[in-house]
């Protein structure tokens, strides 16, 4: 892959990783409610989960969904249901968790990684990346480059969203503000379904 193509791919990875979407909304909410250290497994899960999704699409998973639209519809239904469940869970959260033993918790590494497989934005980005940046003359090499670039760019980009949430912790220390924030973030997360449902 040429340096010019790598720079274009890195820019694409940065823009798509740092732009708002379901995962980033959840990271900001988690950072605000649980702090950065407890949100770190969620950050890592998003990066690993998306990279594995990109690899799967590059290996032909996207073509499988094109061949059997019912699979795609099933994935959309499962993804929408899980996203609405997470939105509800966020909206009902009412206290900043300073006690690590508190019952509320951020998504785990595995939950975050698996969520990427039902995240509509992640699918759109992975399909676009493979369509644009995969070189038919060297598919394995270009796929390896795509996965490496996305992993290296995605990790700090999504960490910024957790950091935004951490920055809001002082402001949200009052219960009324936190309640409004969590309801707003839950609603915003639910609204990220709109592009998928159109």
């Amino acid at each position: 892959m040429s340096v010019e193509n790598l720079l274009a791919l890195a820019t694409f990875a940065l823009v798509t990783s740092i732009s708002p979407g379901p995962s980033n909304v959840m990271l900001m909410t988690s950072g605000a409610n649980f702090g950065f250290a407890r949100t770190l497994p969620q950050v890592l899960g998003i990066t690993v989960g998306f990279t594995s999704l990109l690899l799967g699409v590059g290996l032909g998973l996207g073509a499988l969904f094109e061949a059997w639209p019912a699979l795609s519809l099933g994935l959309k239904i499962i993804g929408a249901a899980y996203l609405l469940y997470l939105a509800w869970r966020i909206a009902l959260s009412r206290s900043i968790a300073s006690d690590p033993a508190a019952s509320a918790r951020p998504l785990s590494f595995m939950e975050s990684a698996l969520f990427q497989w039902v995240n509509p934005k992640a699918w759109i980005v992975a399909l676009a990346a493979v369509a644009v940046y995969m070189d038919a003359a060297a598919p394995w090499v270009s796929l390896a480059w795509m996965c490496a670039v996305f992993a290296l760019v995605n990790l700090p980009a999504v960490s910024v969203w957790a950091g935004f949430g951490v920055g809001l912790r002082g402001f949200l220390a009052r219960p009324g503000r936190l309640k409004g924030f969590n309801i707003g973030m839950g609603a915003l997360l639910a609204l990220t379904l709109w592009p998928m449902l159109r």
Side-chain angles (χ1 to χ4, degrees), residues 29-158:
T29 306
S30 183
N33 284 279
F34 304 107
F36 193 82
R38 289 187 65 196
T39 302
L40 191 56
Q42 188 175 348
V43 169
L44 296 171
I46 287 169
T47 298
V48 170
F50 179 77
T51 305
S52 69
L53 173 63
L54 181 62
L55 181 63
V57 169
L59 293 174
L61 195 57
L64 181 67
F65 285 110
E66 285 180 21
W68 287 301
L71 285 177
S72 179
L73 178 62
L75 183 69
K76 282 183 179 183
I77 291 169
I78 292 168
Y82 188 57
L83 200 118
L84 289 173
Y85 162 74
L86 292 173
W88 182 256
R89 192 171 126 185
I90 286 170
L92 293 181
S93 183
R94 292 293 181 262
S95 64
I96 292 179
S98 56
D99 176 12
S103 62
R105 64 171 182 80
L107 290 180
S108 69
F109 172 88
M110 188 57 71
E111 288 169 328
S112 299
L114 291 175
F115 176 69
Q116 299 316 297
W117 285 80
V118 294
N119 178 348
K121 179 187 172 191
W123 273 95
I124 291 166
V125 171
L127 289 167
V130 167
V132 173
Y133 296 102
M134 193 156 175
D135 183 358
W140 306 116
V141 173
S142 60
L143 181 58
W145 273 110
M146 277 191 293
C147 289
V149 168
F150 260 96
L152 290 172
V153 171
N154 182 267
L155 185 62
V158 299

